[in-house]
Each structure stands twice: as C-alpha cells, then as structure tokens.
C-alpha cells in the first residue's frame, strides 16, 4: 500500500499530562490505528461504487478467507451489538433460545439487542468459572426442558476471549462442540476480542473457529484498531442465506461501505490485526506482573488476553480515580477492570503500577 | 479548529482518465469531504471516552441546536435506514401506519426496515406529482378506514428533497402540517438530502422543520460529505424518550462515537454542510442547463436540489454506459438519474453534457 | 357419536320478526352448527388433558389426514388472522415478502398481522380480475427487483374462495404452481372459505391443495360452523418444524384444546364441513338467480362460492338498511356484499329478493 | 337468564372407574362450568354481529365494571399467554424490562411470549419466598443498572395467586405499589387464578387491583370455568389506547366474539366466578388438611388458593402415578403439584388422600 498518504497516528493516553484522563476503561477508548487510517485515507482518494461494490470490500473478504483458510461468507456491519444479534438471529427463530454465560455481553450489555433482532429469542444463561461456559452446563440446560412451553435451545454463544479476560483453550472448544453437536446446537462466537484470543493462545483463526465447530464468528474490528466495524464470518454458509437482506433491513448496510472494509483490509494486509492484539495482551501481562507482588491487590482471573481484573479496596479505587484513571467496576463479577489496547504504552502501564503502589502505601 | 493536520482531500471522479468510471449514480459514491476528514483525524489524536461521553459529541449536538435555533434532542446513528426506521418507530406502534409517497425511500429501498424496527407498522403509500405528498392525499388516506381491522395512521413521512430531486416549499409544508394536526399525525422528515433542500429553497433549517411542524428529522451526513453518519433530531422531545435505549438495542450506538460526531462537527463548524449542498445543487443545475437545448433529452422533473432525471432513449443510455458513466434508471419513476455531490466537478458535468451531445448525434 | 346430548340448534336470522336485524353481512354472524355443538358438549362430559393431549385432538388431526389423503401436519389455532400470519411466518423471514392480491384479507383486514408475526415481511400486492392473482402478475412481481434493497419474495398467498366470492379453478392453481416453483416461492392458501371452494368446484381438498402445489393451508372452521377455530395444515412438513413452539409463543395454544378440536371433529365426522358449505353456496346462488332479472341490480362477480356482490344505487342500499339488512359495502371492490352461511335460510334469501324488488320499484 | 336451555354439566373426574385418569394436574383439565355453558348455548340461539358488536360483549364489559367498581377498559382475548403478553406490551417498549418472580408463568411457561409480543422486552427475574416478589427485590433490581446498555425497567408483574398457590396480602400489594410508584413502574397482575386469590383473601376485586395500584389485570376465565377466554382489564385507561388494534393485529380478536363474552357473562351474572373459586380453594384446603398428619408428606407452601404442593418421595410419586393420578413435578420449585378446580369433588380429594396413605404405608 502507498505510504504517500500523510501519517495520522493516534497517540495513547499521554502520561506526562497529570490532569489528563488515563484510559484503561476499555479497548474502545483508543482510536484508529495507523494501518487502518492509512487505508481509510487511501479509500477516500477517488469516488467508488456504494454498498460494497467498490475496490475494497471484495478484497477484504478474500483476505478473511485466506486468514481463516476456508471459503467462508463475510459481511461487514457497524458494531458489535448488531453483529452478535444478527448472527444469532440467523441461528434462531423467535421461539428458540441461546445458551450463554451469565456474564456474556449479549446478556449484560446489549440492551436486549439479541431479543430485538430475533423478535424474542430467549437467552438461557449459565454460570461457569472464569467466564467460561462448560459442556456440562450446556448439556444440563439443553435437556432441562423439552416441552413447547419453553423456548427450544438452538445455539450456544461463546465469548472468545471471555468477558473476564480468559480464553477457551482448543480442547475446551472441542468438548463444547461435541455436546453442541449432540443436541443440534449451532455455535456462535462473540469475538469482541477474538484477535486477543488468537494472540493469547498462539492459535490460528481457523483452529479457533470452524475447526472447532464454530458456525459463525463476530470478529470485532472496533476493539482491534478500527473506528467502527465488525466482520460477521459464516463458516456454515447455509446460515448466511439472504444475510445481506437481513443486514440491509436492520440498518447495517453501509452505503459508503469502503470506509468499513478498507480499514479492515489495512488490518489484515499489514498483520496489525494480530500485532495490535499481541501488543495489548503484552501490556495486560505487564500490568499483571507489576501488581503481583503488591499487597492489597488480587488478580481475580488469569490474564490470558488484554484485560486485567483487580480486587481493590474502595479507598485504593478512589485513589486511582483521583489520579484520573478510568476503569469500570461493574463488568464481569466486579473488581476493577483495566483493558489494554493497541496503543496502550508501557509507560502508561508502569505509571498505573506506580500509582497503585502509592495508593496502597497510604 | 487546527489546520495543522494533513490535508486529506477526496478528489471527484477524474475526467482525464478515459477508462475510469464516472460517478453520478448517487451522492454516496463520493468520499469524505476535507472538513469532515480533518475533524476525524483530529478526534483520533488522543484517546477518549466511549458511547458519546467524549469531547466531540456534546459539542456537535449543541451545534445542531444552534443551527436549528431550538433545544432539540440529537442522536447520531450509522445510516439512513436505521435513522428513518428508528425515528418512525418512535411515532408508531406495530398496529399503526405511516403515510408516505409511493416513491419514498422507506417504501422502495430500505428492505422493510421501517416494518422491522416497528415490528410491523404498515406504510400507506400515496401517489403525488413530482415526488411530493399532498395534503389532499393525506386526508383521503387517513379517513379511508377507521376500523380496527386496518393499521391506524399515526405519522406522515416527507422526503426533503424528494426522491425525484424536487423540494417541498414552505407553504406546502405548512399545508401538510395543518392536515396532519387535524388528524393527529406526527410528521417525520427523511432528510437524506435535507441540506440540498435548505440550499435549494434558501431556507433555514428551522423554517423547514419545526416551524413547519416537523416532529423528527433524519439529517443525512453520509450524502453531505461524511463517511457514515446520520443525525436524528427530535423537535418534539417527548418522542425522544428513552431513544438512547432504542438506538443501543437496535445496534446503532457507536462505541467510538467520536468518529461519528466529530466529522459532523466539522461539517457544522465550517459551514460545509451548506456549501457542500450548494455546490452539488449548482452542479445539478449546470447539467440541467447544459442538456436543455439538446434534442432527444427531456428533463423529467424540476431540478430543485442535486438530482437530475433525464428521459433518454435506450441507445443513448447505452452510449453513456459505454463511456463509463454510472447512473441508475430504476429509481423514482424511471429515466436516468444523475446525482451531484460535494465533490462533483464542473469538468465532469461538462464532459457528461458533451458525451450526451455525441451520443444523440450518432 | 352419541346423540343423547341435548340438541342445541342455532337458528338463522328469523324472518318473521320485522324489527330484527337480518344478517347477511358475513359468515361470521352465524353461530355454532349442531354437529360442532354436539361434539363440544360431548367433550365437556369428563375432564381431559390439556394442550392437545386429550382424546379429541389427535383424532381430529387424523381425520384431516384422511380428508386430505396425505400425511399432513395439523395445528389448531384460534382465529384466521393468527392462522394466516403464523403460516406465512413459517415461509418467510422478516426481510422476505409475500405476493398477494390487493384485496386479500391479509392485506386489507388483518391490521398488519402478517407483518407483526413475521417481524416485518412485506406484502407485495397485485391487481387481478375477479379477485384472483394470475401467474403473469406473480412473475412480473417476483422479477421486478433482485437487489437487497427490497424484500425478497418467498411466498404467494392465494385466497380460496377469493374475497369477491370467486374461486381458482384447478388449472389456474397449477399454472400458479408452475410459476411459483420456477421462482422458489412457497404457496400459502388462505382458506377462510376453503370448504365453499371445494363445494363450488366440486373438487377434493387434496386436489385443491397439495396436488396443486399448496404448501400450507389455513382452513377456517369459524366460517364453516364453529364458534372459533382454524386448522393450519402443512403439506410441506419441513415448514412445520417447531410450529408448535411458534403457536405457543404467539398465544395460539389453547390449554383446553379439546374445545377447539372436538367441534372440528364434529364437522369432519358428520360431513358437515362440506354440507354446510354446499348449503351456503346454494343460498348464494339462489340470491344471484333471484336478482338477475331485476333492473337496477348488477352482479359484480361470478357467484362461485357463498358471497354475492351487488352493485346497488345508494337509495336502494338505504332502503335495505331501513329494512334491517346488514351488509358491507367496503369489502372487495365496493358494492354491497351479502354472504350466506350454513344457517342461512331460503326464506331469508327470498325475503331479501323481495325487499330488493320493492326498493327498486320505489 | 333463561333456564330452558338443556343442562350440559361437566362432571369432574369419576372416582369409581379405577382405570380412568384422575385429573389434578391443573385447573385446565376441567371443562366448561354449567353457568358458562348455559350462556354459550343461549348466545347460539340467534345470529349476531361479529367482533364484539353483539348483545353480549358490551354487557359483559359492564358487568366487569360493576364487579371492579370502576370505569375500567375491558378486552376479551383467547388465552393467558396472549393476555399477559399483550398487557405487558402495553406498558413497555422493546428496550424496556419487566420485573417478575423467577417462577412467574411469563418467564417459565409462555415460550417467550412476552418477548415476542413486545419485540424484545426483557424479563428481570427475582427470587422471593413462597413465590412472591418483595418490594426490596424490586428496589434492588430497578436500581442495579441505570445505563442505556441494559433494558430499562418499566413494569412489575405480580401473579395473584402465585405459581406456588400463595397470595399477596393487601399490605404486601400496597408496599409493592409504593416502590413501583417511586421508580415509575407500572403494575401488571397475572390473574390466572385471580378469582382464587379473591376467594382466598376474602377481598374484593377492586381492593386487590386498582385500589392497590394495579394498572392492568389479566383475569383468567379458562381456569375459572370457561372453555377459553381471558379478560384484560385496564384500570389505567391510558395504557388501553388503541389496545383493540393491538389485539386485532396479534390474532386475538374473535370474530364470533359472543362465544367468548357470553360465557364470561354467565360467570359474572351467576356469581360462579367466585363460587367456582371458593369451591376449588376449599378442595385444596381439604387436601392439605387430609395429608397434614401423614408421615412422609410435607406441605411445601401455605395453601392459600387452589394449589397444593407436596414433597413426596419418588416411590410415593410412582405409586400415585400407578393409580392414574396426574400431577406435575416440574412447576414452581419442584414437588408434586395438585390443583383443584370448580368441578373437583370431595370424593376425588378423599380418594387421593387414601391413595397417598396407602402409598406411604408400603
């Protein structure tokens, strides 16, 4: 790709401005990474056809097929709620249900999007350690009711990486696939942090999806360095039937589609989709390592992707907030969540560790 | 706003490359205008809060309030289908109906989006010269049925400018308002080309909306120079109750919202929202003027905004296509539609006129 | 079946009470026929299992299978709007469309039920003489648009007998089947007056449905002599997958199901389903024959089932209303509609003819 | 009302036929009570207008207004799932939520009906002793989330009597009303066994509903002695706006409406609505009293209406099933549920007690 276009870097949170907010609340506070911005600017050089008939969209789709080593169907939509909800609706009718973890984003943070897009499908939530659904829980849930007075389970939704920053290992995915197959359940993967899972497991996208029985993946670009944009990737092509119509009707067909697909192409051609995730994961591990030795801090979950959940005393939390750190405490099972991104700097992490150390001392 | 950020112009279709496609099919083939791109790049300089809690979104909303000279409620969504469908759903329940022109985009080109988002509201279409709904047709339609076996009309949807490139004049809007009021109908305005209507009528946004009884406007940014993004503007604030929830559930809440709102701010602060439209309209008039004298071409509708519909013989159409002109023939009431944009050049228009002249000669 | 249960006849409108309303407005003003009432009373003799696990429901389903000479799937629901809407929803997703006549009940009198149950499927209406959809219109409609900006046609809905009292002959059904097959369209039959069509054509239920390509039939019991109750009969069993769940979720699973199914069994075992229709059709023909010779009355459509549409001067209409005749003038294409039922008496018909004659004389 | 119509009694389960099933599984295994049947037969004597414009429907509505001592709005629908779902949909938009007990029928046994009719409203379930929602749980749930990423609570649904056969006392209802008011929540009452609650509490329908803040009640006729039919009664008339359209669209407008409303009138004019419930409750108390002294049986909940839940060893359960007793074990919190009805005889109850005694002895 041309590098004649002007560099348009997004800096991470500056650490030298003591009054500035310090963003570790989520990986959606960061901006657009250079590789994505370059392609966006490039796609803006000349006019092009609308609705995906441009020079970028087919190319981006083909790159996904290469990345996943299979002839999957690829659709670009605007955000994660839409991606998940539309993908789930392709597996379900309104009188069906989807089994998911009780901390799953589709249950806790999409304002009933899955129920809306499917016109009423029910989410059947299950508990599970470290944010993971287990084959046993799936089996129990799917067999609990078999009468028409309760929505029939038709899909399992897995979040990879999970809402608490852990990942499903390959053998866990295969065990889930077995039980899903046994009960005629499709597998949907909420890949809001799919790249982070690939990086964390050092596993290929193909191994983590269709080779493990995943039927449809929602691969987030927004959290991986785009401004907007998720790819819905169908490994079971039957589920994709008329999915273009579904997206259009649901307000998810971008007319200037190239501004969704070209940035994706930037991530894929440059390899930034993976290096961004590797960097974010490394920053999370740096944070985990830095606080391990601190008294008064407990790591709540294994750090396997780009999130770190810390159990902190209220006073410690307040001290951090006073130093302009942004973080959430209501996500997952409580605790303070810090999420690293493609542009989180080691300096920022170190500064957090230092501030934590200070807070704990006093 | 800073001008230190690098210029990132989008050129119009080049006219000197004879093999390149020449885009006049729609105003969504053009790219992002410089004013929008500048703000997008600027919003990417540092991290910021998600979901609209950033430094840009509230500012953009306030600028809309200034522009419309009233304390309206403003929401940013991704595209036009979503904007229209969600706005209409706020005026209707599933057993209600919306009166619109038979050529309205909500009827002909949104794949049942309004029906989907409202869970079944019916569109009652009416005919009308030059793409315009008349007060008489509204009155006839709203009184045709009064029983519970047919969806009760609750809203009128007007497209300003219309699908055939005409506009509703102020007195027409007021006459429609009268009949709407009489029958308890809300007024929704599909403003896919609202800026072009303001330019074409030389009327203020306030005069064309709430002062003429419009309850909710969908103001398109995409067709006005953004990459994506529409503003849903409620003048009747009651309709906006919980609309943030509605957007979120429907997959229309951008997490990195600033990349929707900052470009809007660029349009509004620079005045490009209007100058872009004025330019596009001027190009449309240039085209209309240039073909008026040609034998074998008939202007199908008055050119009051940025679209030109030409009745052309099939052979003439083919000759243009052979010269790589892109245009639609199925929109509106047939004929060849040419739409000008913020970046349509006089040279491109002149080249089309010349090609037409050539085609007609042979 | 036992005849020890007390007779509980429903009389037709009495003709000897000059002040009583005379009901020919619709076949839903009549009551429950004796054969249905007998079974209802019988089903009330002892308690029974709920939700169709009783002694009546499976038996009634089997009788339908015998009647239709095929192993169809049978579901009992409460009314016609639900039957049609649920059946159509089984053929469609929200982004699909259904081709139907512009006078079809699903379009004109179900308050958007089909759109509601399908979460947005669009009805594409076509004109057609005598209330009938033609293969040509289907072909034109299905090929008019092939892009994702408009709902994709997936089904044709035929009303048999039609809303104007005509029927589709066997060869017409086969011609429609051919074009439907060619374009991948399912065939839904709104059988609000299916029995009347069988009687009118002297054709078997099997010949008029699955042998002519019908995938799903909504067979009305309400208009055939029940108090409530329609049978949804799937000849394409794939469409019936999980339809029990669909009915339950949509509020159409009767807990005391036997009070829907036993009366149906009464109609089927006694043959009243057909004799009721034959009687109603005969009464319609009697009316048609009686008015043929009258000046100032025009039969608007061939009388092929149980409805008669008469073109009458406003004064004539008023004279009839003054004599307490109930009839509609807004159904179909206007005119005064008279519908005969299982309990319409020859005396009532003759009295209408006489009143008409009087009205025309003055 | 005339008593010349033949008696058409529904006997309870016969106790003298040892091979016959003994129905205590639910109050929907019983049939139509004589008072309802008489009116149904009467309504079948002459033809009448459709869609509620008959001689019965307005009268039945007026009787409800007398019974509730207020000018409420009354609608008749076919079954409980529809009644509850439509009533809830009138209080909610798709992005809202309803707080209910985790054992509520709307959550556990309506196959996602509420989510379907509302196009996605979420049910937020809470635990609570004896099947009752508490003000504290409501307060906790409504304040847990206040962000747009989670459906906003707009209603509380109470089941009176509850799913485990208990009732809400007046002071409990008032306490719930207080907390509901404080948080802007509407109160919906699922009155599947509302008559049993009135009987159990010896309280007036008015006291148990609008005087305690209930906005809309679904009053079940099916479980009270009808073949089908529920009344949706709005005390907040604003919620009832266009509810007739809602019913029609949702397939819940009976064309031969008089067969729903006349039996209701029978219940109301005769007082059977209450005496039926009193009888059923008395039978439940008889059962409870009869088993109290038995070793190996534990009453799981106070018997305040017409249901009795018994903790029984598996062998005991099997012994009862071998003697043809029908009962459920999966409803509520487990245990064997026995439900008495208007036609449950003392002999049947005594025979169950005897069979239990026998089963426990061996």
């Amino acid at each position: 790709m041309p590098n004649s276009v002007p560099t348009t870097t997004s800096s991470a949170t500056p650490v030298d401005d003591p009054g500035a907010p310090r963003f570790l609340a989520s990986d959606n506070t960061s901006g657009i990474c250079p590789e994505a911005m370059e392609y966006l600017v490039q796609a803006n050089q000349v006019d092009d056809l609308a609705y995906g008939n441009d020079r970028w969209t087919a190319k981006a789709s083909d790159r996904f097929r290469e990345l996943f080593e299979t002839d999957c169907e690829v659709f670009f939509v605007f955000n994660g709620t839409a991606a998940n909800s539309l993908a789930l609706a392709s597996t379900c009718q309104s009188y069906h249900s989807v089994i998911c973890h009780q901390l799953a984003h589709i249950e806790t943070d999409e304002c009933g999007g899955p129920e809306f897009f499917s016109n009423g499908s029910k989410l059947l939530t299950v508990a599970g350690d470290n944010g993971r659904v287990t084959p046993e829980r799936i089996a129990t849930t799917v067999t609990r009711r078999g009468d028409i007075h309760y929505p029939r389970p038709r899909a399992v939704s897995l979040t990879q990486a999970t809402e608490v920053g852990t990942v499903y290992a390959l053998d866990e995915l295969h065990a889930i696939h077995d039980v899903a197959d046994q009960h005629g359940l499709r597998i949907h993967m909420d890949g809001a942090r799919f790249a982070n899972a690939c990086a964390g497991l050092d596993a290929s996208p193909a191994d983590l999806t269709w080779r493990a029985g995943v039927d449809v993946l929602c691969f987030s670009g927004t959290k991986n360095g785009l401004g907007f944009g998720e790819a819905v990737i169908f490994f079971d092509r039957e589920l994709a039937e008329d999915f273009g119509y579904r997206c259009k009707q649901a307000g998810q067909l971008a007319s200037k589609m190239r501004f969704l697909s070209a940035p994706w192409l930037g991530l894929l051609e440059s390899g930034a989709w993976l290096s961004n995730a590797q960097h974010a994961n490394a920053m999370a591990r740096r944070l985990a390592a830095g606080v391990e030795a601190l008294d008064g801090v407990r790591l709540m979950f294994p750090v396997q992707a780009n999130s770190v959940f810390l159990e902190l005393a209220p006073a410690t939390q307040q001290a951090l907030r006073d130093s302009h750190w942004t973080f959430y405490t209501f996500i997952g099972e409580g605790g303070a969540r810090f999420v690293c991104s493609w542009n989180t700097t080691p300096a920022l992490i170190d500064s957090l560790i230092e501030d934590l150390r200070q807070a704990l001392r006093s």
Side-chain angles (χ1 to χ4, degrees), chain A:
Chain A
M1 279 301 302
N3 51 14
S4 62
V5 297
T7 348
T8 52
T9 29
S10 161
S11 334
T13 304
V15 293
D16 45 3
D17 175 356
R22 284 136 197 267
F23 290 111
L24 286 170
S26 180
D27 28 12
N28 59 28
T29 57
S30 62
I32 305 171
C33 72
E35 296 83 354
M37 187 56 107
E38 254 189 58
Y39 276 63
L40 188 150
V41 167
Q42 190 63 21
N44 199 36
Q45 294 309 302
V46 287
D47 288 6
D48 215 330
L49 291 172
Y51 302 117
N53 301 310
D54 55 70
R55 277 156 282 189
W56 306 86
T57 304
K59 217 165 160 181
S61 298
D62 283 341
R63 282 287 165 139
F64 271 116
R65 290 184 193 105
E66 286 168 31
L67 182 66
F68 282 91
E69 308 168 47
T70 187
D71 189 22
C72 48
E73 284 266 25
V74 181
F75 297 87
F76 298 98
V77 301
F78 291 113
N79 77 359
T81 295
N84 283 329
S85 297
L86 291 170
L88 285 172
S90 78
T91 71
C92 269
Q93 295 292 319
S94 60
Y95 39 89
H96 290 148
S97 56
V98 174
I99 300 171
C100 67
H101 197 277
Q102 62 192 13
L103 300 178
H105 201 260
I106 55 173
E107 166 66 18
T108 63
D109 286 284
E110 298 187 349
C111 198
E115 291 91 338
F116 175 74
F117 283 90
S118 64
N119 198 20
S121 304
K122 212 171 176 78
L123 302 180
L124 309 184
T125 61
V126 297
D129 289 346
N130 290 329
R132 283 191 286 254
V133 171
T134 61
E136 294 72 31
R137 295 280 190 170
I138 296 170
T140 313
T141 304
V142 79
T143 54
R144 197 174 56 201
R145 293 281 295 261
D147 57 292
I148 61 173
H149 302 264
Y150 201 69
R152 183 180 159 201
R154 289 302 296 270
V156 174
S157 177
L158 306 176
T159 310
Q160 175 80 311
T162 74
E163 294 298 323
V164 297
T166 59
V167 294
Y168 288 91
L170 278 177
D171 59 339
E172 290 172 308
L173 293 175
H174 284 284
I176 286 170
H177 183 202
D178 285 348
V179 73
D181 253 15
Q182 216 174 312
H183 297 286
L185 304 172
R186 304 281 195 172
I187 301 180
H188 161 260
M189 184 167 276
D190 175 351
R193 296 180 181 98
F194 179 70
N196 303 93
C198 292
L201 286 158
D202 197 14
S204 81
D207 282 349
L208 285 180
T209 56
W210 61 274
R211 287 199 193 113
V214 172
D215 293 297
V216 55
L217 167 72
C218 297
F219 191 159
S220 175
T222 312
K223 291 193 162 120
N224 196 225
L226 302 188
F228 320 103
E230 320 286 297
V232 182
I233 301 176
F234 286 97
F235 305 108
D236 180 336
R237 296 175 64 96
E238 247 180 58
L239 290 181
E241 198 198 344
D242 291 342
F243 195 77
Y245 288 86
R246 192 187 282 276
C247 290
K248 169 67 192 179
Q249 181 180 46
Q252 293 290 330
L253 179 64
S255 63
K256 298 185 176 175
M257 176 69 93
R258 67 191 193 271
F259 297 121
L260 277 186
S261 57
W264 259 117
L265 191 62
L267 288 185
L268 296 174
E269 291 200 331
S270 66
W273 78 271
L274 186 58
S275 56
N276 279 352
Q278 287 168 331
H279 172 79
N281 289 8
M283 290 303 99
R285 286 194 306 271
R286 185 183 188 102
L287 174 55
V291 301
E292 230 170 1
L294 299 183
D295 253 2
V297 179
R298 191 179 65 86
L299 260 180
M300 297 174 67
F301 306 102
V303 175
Q304 300 175 332
N306 61 324
S307 301
V308 179
F309 286 76
L310 301 180
E311 201 178 276
L312 299 176
T316 315
Q317 290 186 21
Q318 192 51 52
L320 291 185
R321 295 200 196 278
D322 291 345
S323 307
H324 307 291
W325 291 99
T326 69
F327 54 94
Y328 288 122
T329 50
F330 67 86
I331 289 179
E333 294 178 352
R337 187 188 78 164
F338 299 90
V339 189
C340 302
S341 184
W342 65 270
N343 70 351
T344 303
T345 58
L348 187 74
I349 295 298
D350 294 347
S351 142
L352 172 59
I353 296 167
E354 185 50 36
D355 282 3
L356 251 177
R357 194 189 318 269
Q358 298 272 5
L360 291 165
R361 209 174 290 154
S362 51

